[in-house]
Amino acid sequence: MSGLAEEMNVGKSGRPRRTGRRAASRGGASAREASPAGLTMPVASASLLGIPEEEFTPSVREAASRLVDEIELLRREVEQTRTRLEDMARTADQDTLLPILNRRAFVREISRAIALVARYGTPSSLLYFDLDNFKAVNDAYGHAAGDAVLRHFSDLVGSQIRDSDILARLGGDEFGVLLTHVTLDQAKKKGLAVAESLRQKPPLWNDLPVALSFSCGAHELHAGQSADMAMAEADSAMYAQKRAGARTLRP
């Protein structure tokens, strides 16, 4: 045996140290003796996996009960955290006044729609609404009336679109609609339908109708453009209608 081997296998007493299976067996016995009630860690772990409770010592039973309680507490905390995160995500996507999406969430949905257009070639289009002279409503009736008008318009547009379409408030008195599987001409017809519905059902304040009109622009999405580019195109079309004095889209 080399000098290094001798140093590793000889103890302070000068006698050779135990090696191999006898030493390992002796070490295992020491570990079991140090465990409460003669249980090793593998057995303690297995106690949670089907060993009958009557085989537990009182101390092991108490420890297992505390562990189960802690696991249940952690499970509840994880569930509460998940619920809070879901609520925060919904709040982050929702408009502060109306139960519809905000601009940030709408831009994200446009990006998804553009990706689908690029992949499958299915058409999707945007409508961009801007209420005309909305400031005059606030000045004449107050901000509470203005909020009521916004709610009315949101509900009215929502009644004219499908569940698969997406309505959002883009800020102030501007609204956007993402129409899936809809061409530009079909989107323009939808704008006309909203205008007719508003004519038939104007907003009311103190049981009196409030004069309201809007300008609307339409844009069909195409592959390669960004969501911001698509929004800018729809916004530009809306302002073209406003400058022309048209309150709705021409067929």
Side-chain angles (χ1 to χ4, degrees):
M1 181 181 294
S2 66
L4 177 60
E6 291 175 356
E7 181 179 350
M8 292 177 64
N9 288 277
V10 177
K12 292 182 179 179
S13 64
R15 292 195 298 270
R17 293 175 177 170
R18 295 178 183 271
T19 60
R21 295 178 61 183
R22 291 186 62 190
S25 174
R26 186 177 181 185
S30 299
R32 286 194 294 272
E33 291 170 0
S35 302
L39 294 175
T40 62
M41 284 303 294
V43 175
S45 298
S47 66
L48 299 177
L49 302 176
I51 293 181
E53 185 180 352
E54 58 269 17
E55 296 184 13
F56 293 169
T57 64
S59 59
V60 172
R61 186 179 297 110
E62 181 181 357
S65 178
R66 287 198 302 267
L67 180 58
V68 170
D69 290 342
E70 290 177 2
I71 291 173
E72 176 61 18
L73 178 61
L74 288 173
R75 187 194 66 78
R76 292 178 181 176
E77 290 178 350
V78 168
E79 185 62 29
Q80 291 172 356
T81 300
R82 182 183 296 111
T83 300
R84 285 196 296 268
L85 289 175
E86 291 173 352
D87 290 341
M88 290 173 63
R90 283 192 295 270
T91 300
D93 285 348
Q94 186 169 310
D95 181 67
T96 56
L97 176 65
L98 306 173
I100 58 177
L101 295 186
N102 57 24
R103 187 184 189 96
R104 183 185 70 86
F106 191 63
V107 169
R108 182 189 65 224
E109 295 301 323
I110 295 173
S111 297
R112 291 177 178 174
I114 292 173
L116 292 176
V117 170
R119 184 169 184 177
Y120 300 108
T122 54
S124 289
S125 297
L126 292 179
L127 286 177
Y128 199 116
F129 294 99
D130 179 76
L131 302 185
D132 297 316
N133 301 316
F134 180 70
K135 184 177 181 300
V137 175
N138 284 327
D139 293 342
Y141 303 101
H143 288 282
D147 291 347
V149 167
L150 293 175
R151 291 190 187 94
H152 177 85
F153 186 76
S154 173
D155 292 342
L156 185 138
V157 175
S159 70
Q160 297 292 316
I161 61 177
R162 305 160 299 176
D163 291 340
S164 58
D165 300 326
I166 297 173
L167 169 64
R169 186 183 176 207
L170 307 180
D173 59 348
E174 297 180 344
F175 293 81
V177 177
L178 174 59
L179 302 167
T180 57
H181 301 276
V182 169
T183 65
L184 179 62
D185 288 340
Q186 291 170 330
K188 290 181 177 182
K189 291 178 181 179
K190 181 59 63 178
L192 290 171
V194 172
E196 177 60 22
S197 181
L198 182 61
R199 187 187 67 79
Q200 294 181 5
K201 299 178 181 178
L204 301 177
W205 184 249
N206 293 331
D207 296 327
L208 296 175
V210 177
L212 184 67
S213 62
F214 62 84
S215 298
C216 181
H219 171 72
E220 185 171 340
L221 304 180
H222 58 80
Q225 68 178 164
S226 67
D228 288 338
M229 290 169 58
M231 291 273 286
E233 290 289 343
D235 184 48
S236 178
M238 180 273 295
Y239 273 106
Q241 291 293 321
K242 189 181 289 288
R243 287 192 298 269
R247 295 299 181 244
T248 59
L249 291 170
R250 294 190 179 93

